[in-house]
Each structure stands twice: as C-alpha cells, then as structure tokens.
Amino acid sequence: METTQPSNREKDGFMSLWTDLSSDLWQETYKHFDFPIAALPIAHIPWPDTEKYKENKTCQFVETAFDNIATAMNLFIPPHHPAAYLDNMISVAEVSTQMALDSFENMVEFQTEWLKRVSRIGEQTQAYRFDDIDPGIFNSFRRLYHQEIQKYLFIPQLGLPRDFHENVNRFMDKMILFFSHLMELIYLFGAAFDKSGRVIQGHLGTMMVEGEIIENPEQGYEQWIKTLEGHLMILLKSEEFLTVLDQTIASFADYKKSRDDLFGHIIKALPIPSNRDMDAVYKELYDMRKRINQITETIMGDP
Amino acid sequence: MADKKIPVDLILKNLAEQQKKTKLKFQKGQQVLTGKLETKISTIPFDVVYQEDRVKLRHYKPDHVQNQTPLLIVYALINRHTMLDLQPGRSVVENLLKNGVEIFMIDWGYPTRKDQYQTIDDHINGYMDNVVNFICKKKKISMINLMGICMGGTFSVIYSALHPEKIKNLVLTVTPTNFKTDKGLLHIWMKQTKTEFLSDAYGNMPGDLMNLGFLLLNPARLMIDKYVGFIRNMDNKSFVENFVRMEKWIFDSPDVPAATFKQFITDCYKQNLLIQNKLRINGTRVNLKNITMPVLNFYGEYDHLVPPEACEKITQKVGSADTEDICFKTGHIGIYVSSKYQREFAPTIARWLARRE
C-alpha cells in the first residue's frame, strides 16, 4: 500500500503560512484594545508612558501577556526544524483525537447499553417475578464514571489550597457515587410499583373483556396495594436489593463523611468549633468520667 | 370475547355516589381536623425520682400496692417508653397499676453527640445498675422485678446474667436474644448491610434514619395504605385521635449512641454472641446460666421486627427452672396497644409476679 508523506518543502510552506496567520490574528486582536500598536515584526511594544497606564495593573498584565505571546510567535517565525515540529503537532493531534474517540466510544457504549436496557422495561410482566429487573444501566454509568471522569477528580492538587481542593474533589466523587447508588435503589422500588400497576392493568383488562367492572373503587385499590405489598416483599428480600441497599448505605456514609470534612474545612475560618473539635472534647470528658467513677468506687466501695 | 357488556350507566351511578360520599367525608373530616383533638400521650402522673445525665427514672404509684417488690421497666433505646401509656384505656402502665404493681420506668432521654462513646456496658453496668441500686436503697430491699421491652429486654437479660443477685423475677417482652434467624426482614438487612457505618458517619445513629428503615420494611402498608386509611376515616374523631397519638409515638425517635448501636449490630445481629454465652460486656462474659430467677417471656406470632425465632430460645438457655413462654397472635406493638391484649397482658404479668412474691 502506498503512503504519501508530506515533503519538507510542503511542511516549511505550511509552517510559514501558519505563523503568518497567527501573527495576523494576534495583530487583529491587539487592535481591539485601545493601545498603540507597532507594525510587524512582532516585538516588545512600548506602552504610553503615562501614569494612567503605569498604575493600571490590568494593562500591565495584558502588556506582559502580549509580550510573551509576541516572543513566542517570533520564535515560531524562523522554524529551525519545521518537519520535526509538525510531526510533534501531528502526534499531539493524534493523541487528543484518540482520547476524544475513547471517551466518545465509552459514551456511545453507555448510551447503547442504556437504550438496550430501557427498551427491555415493559417487554413483559409476570406477577411476583423480578427476573427482568436490569439495574445494569447504573453499573454502566459507574463504569463510565470510574473510567472517564473519576481520574480527573484525583489529579494531584498543588499549592496552598491543595487540601481544600482535595476535599472538594473527594466530596464530588463521593456524591456522584452515592447518588448513583441511591438512584439505583429508587429504581428498584419504582420497578415494584411499575410491575404492580401493570399487573392490575392486566387484571382490569381481563375483567373488562369479560364484561365485569369493579363496582367499588376501594376494591381496586385493595387489589393494587396487596399486589404491591407482595412485589415489595419479594424485592426487599432479594439478593439484588440487598446488594444495592448495602452499597447505598456504604456510599452514603462515605458521602456524609466527605461532606463533613469539606464543611469542617470551610468553618475553620469561622470562630466556631467543628464536630471534630467537639468530638475530641466529648471523648476526653467520657474517658475522664469513667476514670472518676472507677476512683469513686475504689474509695467509697460499691453501694 | 365474551358477549357481556359493561353497564356504563352503573359506572356513572357509582361514580356519582362515590363523589357525593367523598365530598361529605372531606367536609366532616375538615371539621374534625380543625376542631379540638385530644392527642396527648403518657398522661398518667408520675414522679421523676432519680436522674443521671439524660436518663430519668419515673415512679408510678398504684392506689393499692399488691406486690411488695416493685417492677422496673426498661424500654428500648429505639423509640420511647411513651408507647406503654398511649392513652387512658389503652395503657399498659394503667393496667399494671390497676393490678397493684408499683412501677419504676427508665426514660433514656435523647442522646446527643456527647453521648456517642457510650457503650452497652455504660447503659447496663452504668445507668441501669445505678437505677437498680437507687430503687433498692429507696425501698429498702435487696432485689427488684425487672421487665424489658425489645432491645431493653436484651439489656435486661444481660443485666440479669451479670447481676443475678439483684433481680427477683425477669419479664421479657418481644426481646431479641437469638439473632440467627432469617425470618424477619430486619435480621436479614442487619446481617447483610453495613448499617454500623452510618453511626460512624453521624456520630450517633439518627432516630429518623432508623425510622425510615422500619418504614421500608413494609412500604406499601406503612407509607401508603396507612395514610389512605387515615383519609378514609378522617371524619371519625376517635380514629383521628388514636392515629395522631400513634404517629406522635412512632416518629418520636431518639438517636442511639454510636458505640452502643455498633456493638449491638456487630455482637448481636452479625455474630449472635448473646445466645451462645460468648458476649462480653466490659471484658466480662455474659453467661445466661447465671439467670436463675423465674423468667416470663412474651412474644408475638406475627412480629415482623422480632420474630418468634428470635425470642423463644432464651427460656431454654437460662439457668432457671421456672420459665414460661407466652406467644400472642399479634405483632410487635400489638402486645402493648391492641384492645384484645390490653386485657390479657398486664393482668398476666401482675398475677405471675404475685405468685412469686
């Protein structure tokens, strides 16, 4: 199979075109500010020597930023190794594209699974059976979250607010996981309601076909609540439910702890003690009291 | 398809009648709900004779004391003792007093975050033992009768095994002692989930969270049907008053100290140590064979929280030869509040105690 590699000349031409375009862009951008602008070649542009400009920190910041861009652009103008540069650019583009494609594929996979599973809901209903419950959509979401999103929340934090940022990220992570489990738990309860409703609908349909009606609406309600109770009793004992309940409780405890840590961090700045501070005091009081009781018993004897 | 046709005129007639009835019910219900309702609970007079931190000791005096040995009632840490005196005419306390039983009752109060480190040992060898010593001193006696309710019954079993010299007779009601059963949903959940994590996260185990758990044991009845029933009977003043009293009691849920909750779940629900004589309280093994006093054991056949399997083993495991099991055909609360068992429960206890004075 033939492959076409761009020649160095083509690469050089491309680089020249690109740097020219970039220079034009920054010049145009520069024009939008009400500052004097020098002509090309891009270099340091002196700012008006007025007090107004000297005191304005924003102007100084923008000046420095443009200076840095201009310096960088000037470095680009004479491309010493344009071919190598372009190769690297292509690699960066490839990596970015690959990352985007991976994420996209995972998203598509998640969506496909979601659609597949959602379409299964309501396919058929057999009273007092939960075989067709498929909470896999929640597992798919969590898998996607673990693979694609969670890692960004655990990027090492740097600098003075590192601890705070880590607390925020941990809180976000635990919150997402807890709500995914909670939604799954609610979904299971919803499935029991859904099933009971459909069983009753089927029952009513059969009755209507046979020319019968429920004369008293309370009779219909009694049937529904009895069916619902039966469905829930089976659900609440099922392994699926117990697993989800356990995960919800554990993830809720984690979420609550991360939320408390975050709030504890925030209220550190306020003149009020945190739960952690008070817990330490309570523990000391508790231990102290036990010791006092023991000493009292030793001195006074058991009453 | 059958030849039968649905009589539309009949449906319309029914609908019109129902609409009329519903309208009347709501009108009357509105009058009931906006009128004066008597919904106070725990109305029988008592004295608070002892207090230690949040824990108070109530003293109820009968008009004529029949049993010389007073009865100390220990309620669970979950929900409140007010269930024993919901209303005049439907009160275990009232019936015991009528039968000449002098009652002391522990009010565990409302634990706060400061109480989170309190263990089962602090409740049993601390508060309970101090209360028993106080009663003995006050009445100038060396032994008392002890009656435990649910978790309070478990505490009473442990106390009687650790301090048998202070207990004359032991009455247990819906008391879980054997946790190795899959009959009650609660037992299954407690074993297969990490509920103890919640007490760590909160400091104490929140009462509201526990209540939510109890509601989820039968959501169709407890979260839907119960309130549908309320709407159906909202024009009945007496029904509304009873309903509100029950609601007041059910949702008056103190938090449980974290250390106690954790220990109860781990040692009892998960490891079932008590019935095997393996439970240790502050390092001391709880030997059920030390329970040599007479034991009367009540439980409910349809109890979904503490099923018979969880209650009935204890009388075979204790060291006493004088034991009796009584199984009522009712649920966890029915023993104390149903009209039928109101007539049986307290008089049976009074008679049983009187025979062992």
Side-chain angles (χ1 to χ4, degrees), chain A residues 210 213 215 221-222 225 229 233 236-237 242 246 249 252 256 275 279 282-283 286 289-290, chain B residues 4 6 14 53 113 116-117 122 189 192-194 198 202 216-218 220-221 225 228 232:
Chain A
E210 289 171 1
I213 54 159
E215 290 181 11
Y221 166 76
E222 290 300 339
I225 198 86
E229 190 181 16
M233 281 301 121
L236 299 177
K237 281 181 197 161
L242 288 170
D246 184 40
I249 289 171
F252 176 67
K256 170 86 173 55
N275 273 343
D279 288 348
Y282 293 146
K283 183 79 175 85
Y286 173 79
R289 203 174 157 173
K290 283 211 112 174
Chain B
K4 288 179 186 173
I6 296 171
N14 275 345
D53 307 331
R113 206 171 170 98
Q116 64 182 296
Y117 303 104
D122 293 313
W189 286 8
Q192 298 199 30
T193 60
K194 296 172 207 76
L198 293 174
Y202 274 99
L216 289 180
L217 290 172
N218 192 349
R221 295 287 171 198
D225 194 43
V228 171
R232 277 177 181 166

Side-chain angles (χ1 to χ4, degrees), chain B residues 118-148:
Chain B
Q118 288 183 347
T119 58
I120 293 180
D121 172 52
D122 293 313
H123 286 88
I124 291 173
N125 289 320
Y127 295 127
M128 261 179 90
D129 195 40
N130 292 343
V131 160
V132 172
N133 290 337
F134 171 81
I135 298 170
C136 288
K137 201 172 169 186
K138 182 182 166 74
K139 303 296 289 182
K140 297 186 177 65
I141 50 176
S142 58
M143 296 173 116
I144 61 156
N145 292 327
L146 183 61
M147 173 173 155

